[in-house]
Amino acid sequence: MTNTSENNLPIWFFFSDVDATAINESARKLLVWSGENFGPLFSAADNILNAMMVPGHRLSKESVIELIALLGASFGSNPCPSPSARELFTDAIMILSYKLSELPREEA
């Protein structure tokens, strides 16, 4: 999942314990809320969340982007999301998006 071309090293994002826990809890509640509508994409999101919760709390840039997309798909799986689902989505996406916004333009 990481970019390993000759001239590019993988880009890693490191999350604090607080941020990793906040993303994990919000994302998992959102995935449970999505339920069967989200189906097979659940395991892909679950794998990324598990990877972030190991010591070091790191994700590759590609995993951050994939998690944002998966959570967006999860949120969009119900045409009428509840206010609590919106809040869960916002909590997770804001932290992930902030990490991406810190990248220099040529690395984004």
mmCIF file with all atom_site columns, all heavy atoms in Angstrom, residues 9-32:
data_model
loop_
_atom_site.group_PDB
_atom_site.id
_atom_site.type_symbol
_atom_site.label_atom_id
_atom_site.label_alt_id
_atom_site.label_comp_id
_atom_site.label_asym_id
_atom_site.label_entity_id
_atom_site.label_seq_id
_atom_site.pdbx_PDB_ins_code
_atom_site.Cartn_x
_atom_site.Cartn_y
_atom_site.Cartn_z
_atom_site.occupancy
_atom_site.B_iso_or_equiv
_atom_site.pdbx_formal_charge
_atom_site.auth_seq_id
_atom_site.auth_comp_id
_atom_site.auth_asym_id
_atom_site.auth_atom_id
_atom_site.pdbx_PDB_model_num
ATOM 1   N N   . LEU A 1 9  ? 10.316  7.573  -1.078 1.00 0.00 ? 9  LEU A N   1
ATOM 2   C CA  . LEU A 1 9  ? 10.145  6.750  0.111  1.00 0.00 ? 9  LEU A CA  1
ATOM 3   C C   . LEU A 1 9  ? 8.686   6.813  0.528  1.00 0.00 ? 9  LEU A C   1
ATOM 4   O O   . LEU A 1 9  ? 7.994   7.784  0.234  1.00 0.00 ? 9  LEU A O   1
ATOM 5   C CB  . LEU A 1 9  ? 11.037  7.264  1.239  1.00 0.00 ? 9  LEU A CB  1
ATOM 6   C CG  . LEU A 1 9  ? 12.544  7.156  0.996  1.00 0.00 ? 9  LEU A CG  1
ATOM 7   C CD1 . LEU A 1 9  ? 13.297  7.834  2.135  1.00 0.00 ? 9  LEU A CD1 1
ATOM 8   C CD2 . LEU A 1 9  ? 12.965  5.703  0.873  1.00 0.00 ? 9  LEU A CD2 1
ATOM 9   N N   . PRO A 1 10 ? 8.202   5.796  1.210  1.00 0.00 ? 10 PRO A N   1
ATOM 10  C CA  . PRO A 1 10 ? 6.814   5.856  1.689  1.00 0.00 ? 10 PRO A CA  1
ATOM 11  C C   . PRO A 1 10 ? 6.609   7.058  2.605  1.00 0.00 ? 10 PRO A C   1
ATOM 12  O O   . PRO A 1 10 ? 7.519   7.453  3.333  1.00 0.00 ? 10 PRO A O   1
ATOM 13  C CB  . PRO A 1 10 ? 6.646   4.553  2.474  1.00 0.00 ? 10 PRO A CB  1
ATOM 14  C CG  . PRO A 1 10 ? 7.780   3.689  2.084  1.00 0.00 ? 10 PRO A CG  1
ATOM 15  C CD  . PRO A 1 10 ? 8.877   4.573  1.609  1.00 0.00 ? 10 PRO A CD  1
ATOM 16  N N   . ILE A 1 11 ? 5.446   7.624  2.550  1.00 0.00 ? 11 ILE A N   1
ATOM 17  C CA  . ILE A 1 11 ? 5.081   8.735  3.430  1.00 0.00 ? 11 ILE A CA  1
ATOM 18  C C   . ILE A 1 11 ? 4.217   8.164  4.537  1.00 0.00 ? 11 ILE A C   1
ATOM 19  O O   . ILE A 1 11 ? 3.199   7.525  4.273  1.00 0.00 ? 11 ILE A O   1
ATOM 20  C CB  . ILE A 1 11 ? 4.319   9.826  2.662  1.00 0.00 ? 11 ILE A CB  1
ATOM 21  C CG1 . ILE A 1 11 ? 5.224   10.430 1.588  1.00 0.00 ? 11 ILE A CG1 1
ATOM 22  C CG2 . ILE A 1 11 ? 3.803   10.899 3.617  1.00 0.00 ? 11 ILE A CG2 1
ATOM 23  C CD1 . ILE A 1 11 ? 4.517   11.366 0.633  1.00 0.00 ? 11 ILE A CD1 1
ATOM 24  N N   . TRP A 1 12 ? 4.662   8.360  5.762  1.00 0.00 ? 12 TRP A N   1
ATOM 25  C CA  . TRP A 1 12 ? 3.944   7.848  6.927  1.00 0.00 ? 12 TRP A CA  1
ATOM 26  C C   . TRP A 1 12 ? 3.376   8.991  7.745  1.00 0.00 ? 12 TRP A C   1
ATOM 27  O O   . TRP A 1 12 ? 4.016   10.018 7.918  1.00 0.00 ? 12 TRP A O   1
ATOM 28  C CB  . TRP A 1 12 ? 4.875   7.018  7.815  1.00 0.00 ? 12 TRP A CB  1
ATOM 29  C CG  . TRP A 1 12 ? 5.341   5.766  7.174  1.00 0.00 ? 12 TRP A CG  1
ATOM 30  C CD1 . TRP A 1 12 ? 6.539   5.566  6.556  1.00 0.00 ? 12 TRP A CD1 1
ATOM 31  C CD2 . TRP A 1 12 ? 4.630   4.540  7.055  1.00 0.00 ? 12 TRP A CD2 1
ATOM 32  N NE1 . TRP A 1 12 ? 6.616   4.290  6.067  1.00 0.00 ? 12 TRP A NE1 1
ATOM 33  C CE2 . TRP A 1 12 ? 5.456   3.634  6.368  1.00 0.00 ? 12 TRP A CE2 1
ATOM 34  C CE3 . TRP A 1 12 ? 3.375   4.112  7.468  1.00 0.00 ? 12 TRP A CE3 1
ATOM 35  C CZ2 . TRP A 1 12 ? 5.065   2.330  6.078  1.00 0.00 ? 12 TRP A CZ2 1
ATOM 36  C CZ3 . TRP A 1 12 ? 2.995   2.820  7.190  1.00 0.00 ? 12 TRP A CZ3 1
ATOM 37  C CH2 . TRP A 1 12 ? 3.830   1.945  6.505  1.00 0.00 ? 12 TRP A CH2 1
ATOM 38  N N   . PHE A 1 13 ? 2.187   8.791  8.261  1.00 0.00 ? 13 PHE A N   1
ATOM 39  C CA  . PHE A 1 13 ? 1.585   9.716  9.210  1.00 0.00 ? 13 PHE A CA  1
ATOM 40  C C   . PHE A 1 13 ? 1.563   9.036  10.564 1.00 0.00 ? 13 PHE A C   1
ATOM 41  O O   . PHE A 1 13 ? 1.143   7.891  10.682 1.00 0.00 ? 13 PHE A O   1
ATOM 42  C CB  . PHE A 1 13 ? 0.152   10.078 8.806  1.00 0.00 ? 13 PHE A CB  1
ATOM 43  C CG  . PHE A 1 13 ? 0.067   10.868 7.545  1.00 0.00 ? 13 PHE A CG  1
ATOM 44  C CD1 . PHE A 1 13 ? -0.365  10.269 6.374  1.00 0.00 ? 13 PHE A CD1 1
ATOM 45  C CD2 . PHE A 1 13 ? 0.422   12.201 7.524  1.00 0.00 ? 13 PHE A CD2 1
ATOM 46  C CE1 . PHE A 1 13 ? -0.449  10.992 5.203  1.00 0.00 ? 13 PHE A CE1 1
ATOM 47  C CE2 . PHE A 1 13 ? 0.338   12.935 6.358  1.00 0.00 ? 13 PHE A CE2 1
ATOM 48  C CZ  . PHE A 1 13 ? -0.094  12.333 5.196  1.00 0.00 ? 13 PHE A CZ  1
ATOM 49  N N   . PHE A 1 14 ? 2.009   9.750  11.576 1.00 0.00 ? 14 PHE A N   1
ATOM 50  C CA  . PHE A 1 14 ? 1.994   9.234  12.948 1.00 0.00 ? 14 PHE A CA  1
ATOM 51  C C   . PHE A 1 14 ? 0.910   9.976  13.717 1.00 0.00 ? 14 PHE A C   1
ATOM 52  O O   . PHE A 1 14 ? 0.810   11.190 13.650 1.00 0.00 ? 14 PHE A O   1
ATOM 53  C CB  . PHE A 1 14 ? 3.364   9.419  13.604 1.00 0.00 ? 14 PHE A CB  1
ATOM 54  C CG  . PHE A 1 14 ? 4.421   8.569  12.968 1.00 0.00 ? 14 PHE A CG  1
ATOM 55  C CD1 . PHE A 1 14 ? 5.121   9.023  11.860 1.00 0.00 ? 14 PHE A CD1 1
ATOM 56  C CD2 . PHE A 1 14 ? 4.693   7.312  13.454 1.00 0.00 ? 14 PHE A CD2 1
ATOM 57  C CE1 . PHE A 1 14 ? 6.077   8.227  11.245 1.00 0.00 ? 14 PHE A CE1 1
ATOM 58  C CE2 . PHE A 1 14 ? 5.648   6.508  12.858 1.00 0.00 ? 14 PHE A CE2 1
ATOM 59  C CZ  . PHE A 1 14 ? 6.338   6.969  11.752 1.00 0.00 ? 14 PHE A CZ  1
ATOM 60  N N   . PHE A 1 15 ? 0.107   9.224  14.436 1.00 0.00 ? 15 PHE A N   1
ATOM 61  C CA  . PHE A 1 15 ? -1.000  9.787  15.185 1.00 0.00 ? 15 PHE A CA  1
ATOM 62  C C   . PHE A 1 15 ? -0.715  9.672  16.677 1.00 0.00 ? 15 PHE A C   1
ATOM 63  O O   . PHE A 1 15 ? -0.148  8.686  17.134 1.00 0.00 ? 15 PHE A O   1
ATOM 64  C CB  . PHE A 1 15 ? -2.296  9.035  14.863 1.00 0.00 ? 15 PHE A CB  1
ATOM 65  C CG  . PHE A 1 15 ? -2.717  9.167  13.420 1.00 0.00 ? 15 PHE A CG  1
ATOM 66  C CD1 . PHE A 1 15 ? -2.225  8.295  12.457 1.00 0.00 ? 15 PHE A CD1 1
ATOM 67  C CD2 . PHE A 1 15 ? -3.587  10.157 13.038 1.00 0.00 ? 15 PHE A CD2 1
ATOM 68  C CE1 . PHE A 1 15 ? -2.595  8.414  11.135 1.00 0.00 ? 15 PHE A CE1 1
ATOM 69  C CE2 . PHE A 1 15 ? -3.967  10.288 11.710 1.00 0.00 ? 15 PHE A CE2 1
ATOM 70  C CZ  . PHE A 1 15 ? -3.463  9.413  10.754 1.00 0.00 ? 15 PHE A CZ  1
ATOM 71  N N   . SER A 1 16 ? -1.142  10.688 17.421 1.00 0.00 ? 16 SER A N   1
ATOM 72  C CA  . SER A 1 16 ? -1.028  10.607 18.876 1.00 0.00 ? 16 SER A CA  1
ATOM 73  C C   . SER A 1 16 ? -1.994  9.537  19.379 1.00 0.00 ? 16 SER A C   1
ATOM 74  O O   . SER A 1 16 ? -2.911  9.118  18.663 1.00 0.00 ? 16 SER A O   1
ATOM 75  C CB  . SER A 1 16 ? -1.378  11.964 19.505 1.00 0.00 ? 16 SER A CB  1
ATOM 76  O OG  . SER A 1 16 ? -2.764  12.227 19.334 1.00 0.00 ? 16 SER A OG  1
ATOM 77  N N   . ASP A 1 17 ? -1.797  9.111  20.617 1.00 0.00 ? 17 ASP A N   1
ATOM 78  C CA  . ASP A 1 17 ? -2.724  8.143  21.224 1.00 0.00 ? 17 ASP A CA  1
ATOM 79  C C   . ASP A 1 17 ? -4.154  8.676  21.189 1.00 0.00 ? 17 ASP A C   1
ATOM 80  O O   . ASP A 1 17 ? -5.092  7.942  20.886 1.00 0.00 ? 17 ASP A O   1
ATOM 81  C CB  . ASP A 1 17 ? -2.332  7.847  22.673 1.00 0.00 ? 17 ASP A CB  1
ATOM 82  C CG  . ASP A 1 17 ? -1.056  7.037  22.796 1.00 0.00 ? 17 ASP A CG  1
ATOM 83  O OD1 . ASP A 1 17 ? -0.615  6.450  21.786 1.00 0.00 ? 17 ASP A OD1 1
ATOM 84  O OD2 . ASP A 1 17 ? -0.513  6.976  23.908 1.00 0.00 ? 17 ASP A OD2 1
ATOM 85  N N   . VAL A 1 18 ? -4.298  9.954  21.493 1.00 0.00 ? 18 VAL A N   1
ATOM 86  C CA  . VAL A 1 18 ? -5.631  10.571 21.548 1.00 0.00 ? 18 VAL A CA  1
ATOM 87  C C   . VAL A 1 18 ? -6.276  10.575 20.164 1.00 0.00 ? 18 VAL A C   1
ATOM 88  O O   . VAL A 1 18 ? -7.441  10.188 20.001 1.00 0.00 ? 18 VAL A O   1
ATOM 89  C CB  . VAL A 1 18 ? -5.545  12.006 22.121 1.00 0.00 ? 18 VAL A CB  1
ATOM 90  C CG1 . VAL A 1 18 ? -6.864  12.738 21.990 1.00 0.00 ? 18 VAL A CG1 1
ATOM 91  C CG2 . VAL A 1 18 ? -5.086  11.973 23.567 1.00 0.00 ? 18 VAL A CG2 1
ATOM 92  N N   . ASP A 1 19 ? -5.530  11.015 19.146 1.00 0.00 ? 19 ASP A N   1
ATOM 93  C CA  . ASP A 1 19 ? -6.083  11.055 17.790 1.00 0.00 ? 19 ASP A CA  1
ATOM 94  C C   . ASP A 1 19 ? -6.379  9.657  17.258 1.00 0.00 ? 19 ASP A C   1
ATOM 95  O O   . ASP A 1 19 ? -7.414  9.426  16.639 1.00 0.00 ? 19 ASP A O   1
ATOM 96  C CB  . ASP A 1 19 ? -5.137  11.777 16.829 1.00 0.00 ? 19 ASP A CB  1
ATOM 97  C CG  . ASP A 1 19 ? -5.165  13.282 16.997 1.00 0.00 ? 19 ASP A CG  1
ATOM 98  O OD1 . ASP A 1 19 ? -6.074  13.798 17.678 1.00 0.00 ? 19 ASP A OD1 1
ATOM 99  O OD2 . ASP A 1 19 ? -4.276  13.950 16.434 1.00 0.00 ? 19 ASP A OD2 1
ATOM 100 N N   . ALA A 1 20 ? -5.472  8.720  17.486 1.00 0.00 ? 20 ALA A N   1
ATOM 101 C CA  . ALA A 1 20 ? -5.693  7.346  17.009 1.00 0.00 ? 20 ALA A CA  1
ATOM 102 C C   . ALA A 1 20 ? -6.943  6.755  17.651 1.00 0.00 ? 20 ALA A C   1
ATOM 103 O O   . ALA A 1 20 ? -7.768  6.112  16.975 1.00 0.00 ? 20 ALA A O   1
ATOM 104 C CB  . ALA A 1 20 ? -4.474  6.478  17.317 1.00 0.00 ? 20 ALA A CB  1
ATOM 105 N N   . THR A 1 21 ? -7.114  6.983  18.940 1.00 0.00 ? 21 THR A N   1
ATOM 106 C CA  . THR A 1 21 ? -8.290  6.469  19.644 1.00 0.00 ? 21 THR A CA  1
ATOM 107 C C   . THR A 1 21 ? -9.562  7.148  19.143 1.00 0.00 ? 21 THR A C   1
ATOM 108 O O   . THR A 1 21 ? -10.586 6.485  18.924 1.00 0.00 ? 21 THR A O   1
ATOM 109 C CB  . THR A 1 21 ? -8.134  6.656  21.171 1.00 0.00 ? 21 THR A CB  1
ATOM 110 O OG1 . THR A 1 21 ? -6.958  5.947  21.587 1.00 0.00 ? 21 THR A OG1 1
ATOM 111 C CG2 . THR A 1 21 ? -9.337  6.144  21.923 1.00 0.00 ? 21 THR A CG2 1
ATOM 112 N N   . ALA A 1 22 ? -9.503  8.464  18.938 1.00 0.00 ? 22 ALA A N   1
ATOM 113 C CA  . ALA A 1 22 ? -10.681 9.204  18.463 1.00 0.00 ? 22 ALA A CA  1
ATOM 114 C C   . ALA A 1 22 ? -11.105 8.715  17.079 1.00 0.00 ? 22 ALA A C   1
ATOM 115 O O   . ALA A 1 22 ? -12.295 8.483  16.829 1.00 0.00 ? 22 ALA A O   1
ATOM 116 C CB  . ALA A 1 22 ? -10.390 10.702 18.437 1.00 0.00 ? 22 ALA A CB  1
ATOM 117 N N   . ILE A 1 23 ? -10.134 8.556  16.175 1.00 0.00 ? 23 ILE A N   1
ATOM 118 C CA  . ILE A 1 23 ? -10.454 8.065  14.832 1.00 0.00 ? 23 ILE A CA  1
ATOM 119 C C   . ILE A 1 23 ? -11.025 6.659  14.921 1.00 0.00 ? 23 ILE A C   1
ATOM 120 O O   . ILE A 1 23 ? -12.040 6.344  14.301 1.00 0.00 ? 23 ILE A O   1
ATOM 121 C CB  . ILE A 1 23 ? -9.198  8.074  13.928 1.00 0.00 ? 23 ILE A CB  1
ATOM 122 C CG1 . ILE A 1 23 ? -8.740  9.504  13.647 1.00 0.00 ? 23 ILE A CG1 1
ATOM 123 C CG2 . ILE A 1 23 ? -9.468  7.328  12.612 1.00 0.00 ? 23 ILE A CG2 1
ATOM 124 C CD1 . ILE A 1 23 ? -7.364  9.595  13.018 1.00 0.00 ? 23 ILE A CD1 1
ATOM 125 N N   . ASN A 1 24 ? -10.359 5.807  15.677 1.00 0.00 ? 24 ASN A N   1
ATOM 126 C CA  . ASN A 1 24 ? -10.776 4.416  15.789 1.00 0.00 ? 24 ASN A CA  1
ATOM 127 C C   . ASN A 1 24 ? -12.201 4.301  16.335 1.00 0.00 ? 24 ASN A C   1
ATOM 128 O O   . ASN A 1 24 ? -13.035 3.580  15.770 1.00 0.00 ? 24 ASN A O   1
ATOM 129 C CB  . ASN A 1 24 ? -9.787  3.651  16.669 1.00 0.00 ? 24 ASN A CB  1
ATOM 130 C CG  . ASN A 1 24 ? -10.006 2.164  16.636 1.00 0.00 ? 24 ASN A CG  1
ATOM 131 O OD1 . ASN A 1 24 ? -10.052 1.562  15.574 1.00 0.00 ? 24 ASN A OD1 1
ATOM 132 N ND2 . ASN A 1 24 ? -10.144 1.567  17.793 1.00 0.00 ? 24 ASN A ND2 1
ATOM 133 N N   . GLU A 1 25 ? -12.486 4.996  17.412 1.00 0.00 ? 25 GLU A N   1
ATOM 134 C CA  . GLU A 1 25 ? -13.813 4.903  18.014 1.00 0.00 ? 25 GLU A CA  1
ATOM 135 C C   . GLU A 1 25 ? -14.897 5.465  17.099 1.00 0.00 ? 25 GLU A C   1
ATOM 136 O O   . GLU A 1 25 ? -15.942 4.843  16.910 1.00 0.00 ? 25 GLU A O   1
ATOM 137 C CB  . GLU A 1 25 ? -13.831 5.613  19.368 1.00 0.00 ? 25 GLU A CB  1
ATOM 138 C CG  . GLU A 1 25 ? -13.073 4.853  20.441 1.00 0.00 ? 25 GLU A CG  1
ATOM 139 C CD  . GLU A 1 25 ? -13.048 5.560  21.791 1.00 0.00 ? 25 GLU A CD  1
ATOM 140 O OE1 . GLU A 1 25 ? -13.625 6.661  21.919 1.00 0.00 ? 25 GLU A OE1 1
ATOM 141 O OE2 . GLU A 1 25 ? -12.445 4.999  22.717 1.00 0.00 ? 25 GLU A OE2 1
ATOM 142 N N   . SER A 1 26 ? -14.641 6.633  16.516 1.00 0.00 ? 26 SER A N   1
ATOM 143 C CA  . SER A 1 26 ? -15.636 7.232  15.622 1.00 0.00 ? 26 SER A CA  1
ATOM 144 C C   . SER A 1 26 ? -15.859 6.368  14.391 1.00 0.00 ? 26 SER A C   1
ATOM 145 O O   . SER A 1 26 ? -16.998 6.129  13.985 1.00 0.00 ? 26 SER A O   1
ATOM 146 C CB  . SER A 1 26 ? -15.188 8.635  15.188 1.00 0.00 ? 26 SER A CB  1
ATOM 147 O OG  . SER A 1 26 ? -15.156 9.501  16.276 1.00 0.00 ? 26 SER A OG  1
ATOM 148 N N   . ALA A 1 27 ? -14.759 5.910  13.789 1.00 0.00 ? 27 ALA A N   1
ATOM 149 C CA  . ALA A 1 27 ? -14.873 5.109  12.569 1.00 0.00 ? 27 ALA A CA  1
ATOM 150 C C   . ALA A 1 27 ? -15.589 3.790  12.839 1.00 0.00 ? 27 ALA A C   1
ATOM 151 O O   . ALA A 1 27 ? -16.449 3.370  12.057 1.00 0.00 ? 27 ALA A O   1
ATOM 152 C CB  . ALA A 1 27 ? -13.487 4.861  11.974 1.00 0.00 ? 27 ALA A CB  1
ATOM 153 N N   . ARG A 1 28 ? -15.257 3.139  13.927 1.00 0.00 ? 28 ARG A N   1
ATOM 154 C CA  . ARG A 1 28 ? -15.899 1.853  14.225 1.00 0.00 ? 28 ARG A CA  1
ATOM 155 C C   . ARG A 1 28 ? -17.397 2.025  14.517 1.00 0.00 ? 28 ARG A C   1
ATOM 156 O O   . ARG A 1 28 ? -18.218 1.216  14.085 1.00 0.00 ? 28 ARG A O   1
ATOM 157 C CB  . ARG A 1 28 ? -15.194 1.157  15.376 1.00 0.00 ? 28 ARG A CB  1
ATOM 158 C CG  . ARG A 1 28 ? -13.833 0.622  14.936 1.00 0.00 ? 28 ARG A CG  1
ATOM 159 C CD  . ARG A 1 28 ? -13.184 -0.262 15.960 1.00 0.00 ? 28 ARG A CD  1
ATOM 160 N NE  . ARG A 1 28 ? -11.840 -0.606 15.554 1.00 0.00 ? 28 ARG A NE  1
ATOM 161 C CZ  . ARG A 1 28 ? -11.516 -1.536 14.654 1.00 0.00 ? 28 ARG A CZ  1
ATOM 162 N NH1 . ARG A 1 28 ? -12.460 -2.204 14.037 1.00 0.00 ? 28 ARG A NH1 1
ATOM 163 N NH2 . ARG A 1 28 ? -10.258 -1.776 14.356 1.00 0.00 ? 28 ARG A NH2 1
ATOM 164 N N   . LYS A 1 29 ? -17.758 3.077  15.228 1.00 0.00 ? 29 LYS A N   1
ATOM 165 C CA  . LYS A 1 29 ? -19.183 3.335  15.468 1.00 0.00 ? 29 LYS A CA  1
ATOM 166 C C   . LYS A 1 29 ? -19.900 3.624  14.148 1.00 0.00 ? 29 LYS A C   1
ATOM 167 O O   . LYS A 1 29 ? -21.026 3.183  13.936 1.00 0.00 ? 29 LYS A O   1
ATOM 168 C CB  . LYS A 1 29 ? -19.360 4.508  16.431 1.00 0.00 ? 29 LYS A CB  1
ATOM 169 C CG  . LYS A 1 29 ? -19.014 4.168  17.865 1.00 0.00 ? 29 LYS A CG  1
ATOM 170 C CD  . LYS A 1 29 ? -19.153 5.384  18.758 1.00 0.00 ? 29 LYS A CD  1
ATOM 171 C CE  . LYS A 1 29 ? -18.695 5.088  20.178 1.00 0.00 ? 29 LYS A CE  1
ATOM 172 N NZ  . LYS A 1 29 ? -18.693 6.308  21.016 1.00 0.00 ? 29 LYS A NZ  1
ATOM 173 N N   . LEU A 1 30 ? -19.232 4.361  13.260 1.00 0.00 ? 30 LEU A N   1
ATOM 174 C CA  . LEU A 1 30 ? -19.810 4.656  11.952 1.00 0.00 ? 30 LEU A CA  1
ATOM 175 C C   . LEU A 1 30 ? -19.987 3.370  11.138 1.00 0.00 ? 30 LEU A C   1
ATOM 176 O O   . LEU A 1 30 ? -21.020 3.171  10.493 1.00 0.00 ? 30 LEU A O   1
ATOM 177 C CB  . LEU A 1 30 ? -18.924 5.643  11.193 1.00 0.00 ? 30 LEU A CB  1
ATOM 178 C CG  . LEU A 1 30 ? -19.429 6.113  9.838  1.00 0.00 ? 30 LEU A CG  1
ATOM 179 C CD1 . LEU A 1 30 ? -20.739 6.878  9.994  1.00 0.00 ? 30 LEU A CD1 1
ATOM 180 C CD2 . LEU A 1 30 ? -18.379 7.001  9.176  1.00 0.00 ? 30 LEU A CD2 1
ATOM 181 N N   . LEU A 1 31 ? -19.004 2.481  11.195 1.00 0.00 ? 31 LEU A N   1
ATOM 182 C CA  . LEU A 1 31 ? -19.099 1.212  10.462 1.00 0.00 ? 31 LEU A CA  1
ATOM 183 C C   . LEU A 1 31 ? -20.238 0.346  11.006 1.00 0.00 ? 31 LEU A C   1
ATOM 184 O O   . LEU A 1 31 ? -20.965 -0.280 10.235 1.00 0.00 ? 31 LEU A O   1
ATOM 185 C CB  . LEU A 1 31 ? -17.775 0.459  10.531 1.00 0.00 ? 31 LEU A CB  1
ATOM 186 C CG  . LEU A 1 31 ? -16.606 1.111  9.786  1.00 0.00 ? 31 LEU A CG  1
ATOM 187 C CD1 . LEU A 1 31 ? -15.315 0.364  10.079 1.00 0.00 ? 31 LEU A CD1 1
ATOM 188 C CD2 . LEU A 1 31 ? -16.866 1.186  8.299  1.00 0.00 ? 31 LEU A CD2 1
ATOM 189 N N   . VAL A 1 32 ? -20.396 0.329  12.333 1.00 0.00 ? 32 VAL A N   1
ATOM 190 C CA  . VAL A 1 32 ? -21.500 -0.430 12.930 1.00 0.00 ? 32 VAL A CA  1
ATOM 191 C C   . VAL A 1 32 ? -22.828 0.187  12.504 1.00 0.00 ? 32 VAL A C   1
ATOM 192 O O   . VAL A 1 32 ? -23.770 -0.524 12.142 1.00 0.00 ? 32 VAL A O   1
ATOM 193 C CB  . VAL A 1 32 ? -21.376 -0.470 14.472 1.00 0.00 ? 32 VAL A CB  1
ATOM 194 C CG1 . VAL A 1 32 ? -22.649 -0.978 15.117 1.00 0.00 ? 32 VAL A CG1 1
ATOM 195 C CG2 . VAL A 1 32 ? -20.184 -1.332 14.876 1.00 0.00 ? 32 VAL A CG2 1
#
